[in-house]
């Protein structure tokens, strides 16, 4: 996926028009259109504005990762059983699992999430 496809997708996911986003970011609508069509690459200050506006990290916009969340949220630390663990710690632990182990873990995670959702509906 190209830079333009990513920012267009983020905009469309929020049901926003190009001129709305351009106004918020204080750029020309035509510039945003050119960025989304991959005609021009935006300057770094616009890339930062886009990342902040959409709440994603710059590496996601540039195609270096599929992880959308900002790195400051990714490195948020939680206390679990007296130990401090960050999301990146968890990711690193998951990255060494086999595909079957990872599928089992993700299945367990989704089951726990479903239990949580069902509990909240009651």
């Amino acid at each position: 996926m190209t830079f333009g496809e990513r920012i267009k997708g983020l905009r469309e996911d929020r049901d926003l028009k190009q001129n709305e986003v351009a106004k918020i970011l204080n750029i020309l609508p035509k510039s945003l259109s050119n960025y989304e069509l991959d005609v021009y690459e935006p300057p770094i200050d616009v890339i930062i504005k886009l990342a902040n506006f959409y709440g994603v990290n710059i590496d996601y916009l540039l195609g270096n990762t599929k992880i959308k969340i900002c790195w400051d949220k990714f490195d948020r630390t939680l206390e679990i059983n007296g130990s401090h663990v960050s999301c990146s710690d968890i990711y690193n632990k998951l990255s060494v699992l086999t595909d079957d182990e990872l599928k089992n873990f993700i299945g367990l995670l989704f089951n726990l999430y479903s239990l949580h959702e069902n509990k909240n509906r009651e």
Side-chain angles (χ1 to χ4, degrees):
M1 187 181 297
T2 68
F3 176 86
E5 291 169 336
R6 287 177 187 247
I7 62 171
K8 181 178 180 180
L10 290 166
R11 179 180 56 76
E12 290 176 342
D13 287 347
R14 288 161 180 78
D15 294 322
L16 296 169
K17 305 281 187 222
Q18 283 182 341
N19 61 349
E20 294 171 314
V21 174
K23 184 176 181 178
I24 292 167
L25 299 181
N26 197 29
I27 61 175
L28 295 173
K30 182 65 176 167
S31 295
L32 182 58
S33 175
N34 285 331
Y35 303 150
E36 288 186 2
L37 294 171
D38 292 307
V39 174
Y40 299 111
E41 292 182 4
I44 190 67
D45 65 310
V46 173
I47 294 172
I48 292 169
K49 286 180 184 181
L50 287 162
N52 290 335
F53 176 71
Y54 290 122
V56 298
N57 66 73
I58 291 172
D59 279 332
Y60 171 77
L61 291 180
L62 298 178
N64 293 329
T65 182
K66 294 178 183 177
I67 300 169
K68 289 183 182 181
I69 63 172
C70 295
W71 296 124
D72 61 337
K73 292 179 184 171
F74 191 67
D75 270 338
R76 184 176 66 179
T77 301
L78 306 170
E79 187 174 340
I80 302 172
N81 296 330
S83 296
H84 294 279
V85 180
S86 72
C87 294
S88 59
D89 292 334
I90 294 168
Y91 178 81
N92 289 335
K93 290 181 184 344
L94 292 175
S95 68
V96 300
L97 298 179
T98 65
D99 285 348
D100 286 339
E101 292 168 332
L102 191 56
K103 286 177 188 175
N104 288 333
F105 176 82
I106 299 299
L108 176 62
L109 182 64
F110 277 94
N111 286 337
L112 286 171
Y113 181 77
S114 293
L115 288 172
H116 171 77
E117 286 294 302
N118 290 335
K119 181 180 171 185
N120 285 338
R121 287 186 199 137
E122 295 174 358

